[in-house]
Amino acid sequence: QVQLVESGGGLVQAGGSLRLSCAASGRIFSINTMGWYRQAPGKQRDLVASITSGGRVNYADSVKGRFTISRENAKNTVSLQMNGLKPEDTAVYYCNFKRLPATYENTYWGRGTQVTVSS
């Protein structure tokens, strides 16, 4: 079992910045992927960014150049630095954790944190 605790959401004006953090605890194994997904009202939950325990990153095209994902393996934490925020970034952001073997049983989600960007 893995527990994910998110923090850092809030309200910001367009062009502003926020930093989301997620701390994982429980049955953490060395090889894993942590990331952030987001879901706006009426839309599907989409990947924002992810990073493996080896440091391999993946970004949605819509956030490339604006968002930066990082992790501290020793602390089992992942952060998402969001710069140049746009109103279309408004969504609930969910921390995600996956470990091997890559099955549903080894996939975990945070409760979500609201990010609202005003125009």
Side-chain angles (χ1 to χ4, degrees):
Q1 186 75 7
V2 174
Q3 296 80 45
L4 303 174
V5 179
E6 302 146 322
S7 63
L11 174 65
V12 66
Q13 294 182 354
S17 299
L18 286 173
R19 184 176 179 87
L20 305 181
S21 295
C22 176
S25 62
R27 293 180 58 81
I28 307 299
F29 293 86
S30 297
I31 302 176
N32 60 71
T33 299
M34 297 185 71
W36 292 92
Y37 290 69
R38 67 186 180 188
Q39 186 170 24
K43 297 185 178 180
Q44 66 180 3
R45 186 176 299 184
D46 293 325
L47 173 71
V48 178
S50 65
I51 182 167
T52 70
S53 50
R56 183 179 180 181
V57 300
N58 187 37
Y59 294 98
D61 288 340
S62 60
V63 306
K64 288 181 179 177
R66 298 188 296 123
F67 293 7
T68 302
I69 191 168
S70 62
R71 66 183 292 160
E72 186 173 324
N73 290 341
K75 299 290 185 180
N76 296 311
T77 60
V78 63
S79 297
L80 184 69
Q81 179 66 45
M82 304 185 294
N83 298 325
L85 284 163
K86 304 175 181 179
E88 50 263 43
D89 294 318
T90 296
V92 177
Y93 285 67
Y94 296 90
C95 182
N96 174 265
F97 177 95
K98 297 183 179 70
R99 66 167 183 253
L100 295 177
T103 65
Y104 171 82
E105 294 179 339
N106 293 322
T107 301
Y108 300 88
W109 294 94
R111 295 174 61 87
T113 184
Q114 178 70 47
V115 171
T116 302
V117 184
S118 62
S119 60

